[in-house]
Amino acid sequence: MSKAHIPIILLLVSSAAAAQSDADQLTAMVNAYRAAPGLCQDEPTQSVAELKPQAALATVHLKPGTILSAALENAGYANTRADAISINSAGTLQAAFSLIRKTYCRILLNASYTDIGVSRNGAEWTVVLARAAAPLPSASFPAWQDAGAAILASVNVARAAGQVCGERAFPPAPPLRWSASLGDAALAHSGEMADKRYFSHTGTDGGKVGDRARQAGYSWTRIGENLAYGQNTPQETVDGWLASPGHCANIMNGDFTDMGAAYAVTADQRAGVAYWTQTFGKPRQ
C-alpha cells in the first residue's frame, strides 16, 4: 500500500469513530431525559426506564414507503411496536437532541419502548425506539386452516353487527363464505412474505392480489386484500384490521361474498413472527 493512501484510510476511520461516538452520546442524552424528563409539550411527565442500545435498530435507513416493523424484521429484530424519528440538523449534537426532544418528546417518553438505535449520516439523524417481540414457539399458532376459519367467524360477527370504520359507518352486511382458492392465495402470499422478509401487497414477482387469486383458480369480478404483521392470534389480527379504517372498510364491503385467510411464520421460530393475509372476492358468474 502506498504512503499516499494512508492519510485517507486514517481519515475514514476517524470519521467513523466520531459518528459512533455521536450516536452513543445521543443515546445517553435520550436516557438522561427519560430519567428526569421534566416537561413534555408544557405538561409534567414521569420518569421511565432506560432504553437498551440495540445494534440492529441503528442499521435501519428510512426511505419513502418504508414499513418500519418490516424493516426491523429484515434487520433481525422482531418487534411488537416501533417508532422512528428522523431530523436534519447541521448544528451541534446538543442542538440535534434539543430539536428531537422538543418535537418528539412523547415518543422519547413512551414507557412501552425498551430498546433504542441511533445513526447519523451527515446532518441527518435517525433514532429508532422499539419493543422486541417475546419469543413464541411455533406451537402457539394453530394450523393455518383453523386460523382462517377463526378469522372468517370473527369477520362475520363484525359484518352482522355493522361497523364504524374511521368516519364512515357501515350497515350490517351478509356473511362471507369460505373460499379454498382464496385461502390458498392468502397462504402463498403469507408464505412468501415470511420467507423473503418483506411486507407488501406486491409480490416479489410484481404480482398483485388479483394475480394471486387467478393463479389459485379463483375467477373474480371484485377482489381485495388485508395484510397484518406480528400479531399472535387470529382474533388479535381481526381486531387490528377493524381498528384501521381502510382494512375495516374491506371487511364491511357488501360487494364481497367470499373470503380466504392464512398466515405463515418466519423461519426463525425463536421469534415466531407471523405474516397474515386475508383475501376477499366476488366470483365471476
Side-chain angles (χ1 to χ4, degrees), residues 7-29:
I8 298 176
I9 294 174
L10 292 176
L11 177 61
L12 291 174
V13 171
S14 175
S15 176
Q20 179 62 42
S21 175
D22 286 346
D24 290 343
Q25 290 182 62
L26 188 58
T27 297
M29 289 178 177

Side-chain angles (χ1 to χ4, degrees), residues 129-145:
L129 291 83
R131 184 180 189 89
L136 292 171
S138 59
S140 65
F141 292 99
W144 77 265
Q145 297 93 335

Side-chain angles (χ1 to χ4, degrees), residues 138-208:
S138 59
S140 65
F141 292 99
W144 77 265
Q145 297 93 335
D146 294 336
I151 289 173
L152 177 65
S154 294
V155 162
N156 281 337
V157 168
R159 283 170 68 94
Q163 299 292 319
V164 177
C165 303
E167 298 181 353
R168 184 179 177 187
F170 285 82
L176 296 171
R177 301 182 300 256
W178 178 261
S179 166
S181 296
L182 293 182
D184 289 342
L187 179 64
H189 192 50
S190 286
E192 184 183 69
M193 288 193 295
D195 181 55
K196 304 295 185 182
R197 302 296 180 92
Y198 74 95
F199 187 69
S200 174
H201 289 286
T202 303
T204 56
D205 62 354
K208 306 286 189 179

Side-chain angles (χ1 to χ4, degrees), residues 34 130 176 235 262 268:
R34 284 171 66 93
L176 296 171
Q235 189 60 55
D268 181 8

Side-chain angles (χ1 to χ4, degrees), residues 97-109:
F97 174 68
S98 295
L99 178 59
I100 292 172
R101 181 182 60 186
K102 178 180 179 181
T103 310
Y104 301 102
C105 63
R106 294 194 183 280
I107 294 177
L108 295 181
L109 298 178

